Amino acid sequence: MKVDPAEPPEAADAEIGATVAALTADDLEPEKRRRLLGRLVGDVRRRGLGQMFRPKAAIRWMADVVADVAPHVPIRDLETLRRHHDGLEGDDLAERLVRNAARATAGVGAAGGGVASLEWAVTPTLLSAPVLLAAETVAVVAIELKLIGELHEVYGRSVAGTGGQKSAALIQSWSGGRGVNPLVPGVGVATVLGTAARKELQSSLLRRFGRNLTTMGPLLTGAAVAGYLNRRATQNLGEKLMKDLRR
């Protein structure tokens, strides 16, 4: 894709949002997932390459990106979920969603590991490593935000509010690994994430970013380990939320 250097930030955000939304699908072929991740790497590089080499700035930057892409994450309602999953309901449907999301994040880890392996084998360079890790982290978080929203649908606790309010609630839920608290008044994403919630998000992103460092392992070991760790983390998040939402 040819990039216009004068492209406005809003257009860049829209491109990242569209790419991330496509990456959240749970039925992507490995090659298509790899292409989408490669496109996201390009989007991330255009939006803020310089900040990727300053750890604290990188985490703040990723928090901003997550806040920007969250409204683009497609959350299916209960009727659509049942139709897409052979009429399953309740815990059976929730378990299917968790399984599929875990496979999707494992696929992102494998795709990122594959890209990293190719780079190490052909043109060894650390230049693109921070960008790849940031792109993988954002993609995995988006998949898990979608899982959180859809688990709330399954258990009859749809996240209410405007698009910005829903996104903020999902991000808070992801950061804390818990269900959305309907008693917390919703406000805009930027407002919510400008307080303690932003610090919690940055802390959670830092842990996930560190886990994704396994992507940079030599040859295909990076792909295998990153895929396994992503799958396990998503599975744990989903199971924890299921318990929380049953209450």
Side-chain angles (χ1 to χ4, degrees):
M1 183 194 310
K2 217 169 200 182
V3 181
D4 179 0
E7 184 180 38
E10 294 79 8
D13 291 346
E15 284 188 13
I16 292 179
T19 304
V20 168
L23 271 166
T24 62
D26 52 21
D27 57 352
L28 286 178
E29 295 294 330
E31 182 55 35
K32 185 173 182 181
R33 195 182 302 279
R34 191 175 294 111
R35 287 200 304 270
L36 285 169
L37 186 61
R39 185 194 304 171
L40 183 58
V41 168
D43 294 339
V44 168
R45 181 180 285 114
R46 290 194 297 276
R47 174 164 166 161
L49 176 61
Q51 297 190 61
M52 291 298 99
F53 295 95
R54 301 193 300 275
K56 288 185 178 179
I59 297 302
R60 288 196 298 270
W61 182 89
M62 280 193 292
D64 289 340
V65 174
V66 168
D68 289 341
V69 303
H72 297 275
V73 174
I75 308 295
R76 294 168 290 186
D77 60 26
L78 182 57
E79 182 180 348
T80 303
L81 288 169
R82 286 172 176 164
R83 188 168 65 250
H84 287 179
H85 296 91
D86 306 318
L88 291 177
E89 297 184 9
D91 287 347
D92 290 336
L93 178 55
E95 288 170 1
R96 177 72 63 85
L97 294 178
V98 172
R99 186 197 68 183
N100 288 349
R103 286 179 176 176
T105 58
V108 169
V115 171
S117 300
L118 183 61
E119 289 182 351
W120 282 112
V122 180
T123 53
T125 174
L126 283 172
L127 177 62
S128 61
V131 180
L132 174 59
L133 292 173
E136 182 181 338
T137 301
V138 169
V140 167
V141 173
I143 291 169
E144 292 180 345
L145 289 177
K146 178 179 180 179
L147 173 63
I148 291 169
E150 293 183 347
L151 285 177
H152 278 77
E153 290 287 332
V154 170
Y155 288 102
R157 293 178 57 180
S158 301
V159 181
T162 65
Q165 292 167 347
K166 291 178 181 178
S167 299
L170 292 176
I171 290 171
Q172 285 184 296
S173 178
W174 180 85
S175 299
R178 57 184 180 271
V180 171
N181 183 354
L183 299 181
V184 175
V187 291
V189 177
T191 304
V192 171
L193 298 182
T195 57
R198 178 174 288 277
K199 292 183 179 179
E200 188 175 33
L201 171 61
Q202 291 175 0
S203 177
S204 299
L205 281 169
L206 180 60
R207 290 193 296 272
R208 181 55 60 91
F209 189 73
R211 183 181 297 123
N212 287 342
L213 284 171
T214 56
T215 295
M216 307 314 297
L219 302 180
L220 293 179
T221 58
V225 175
Y228 168 75
L229 291 178
N230 279 353
R231 181 193 295 269
R232 186 178 67 179
T234 302
Q235 187 80 33
N236 289 342
L237 173 66
E239 291 174 353
K240 184 176 180 180
L241 278 169
M242 284 176 63
K243 291 178 183 177
D244 194 30
L245 292 169
R246 285 194 195 106
R247 297 172 186 170

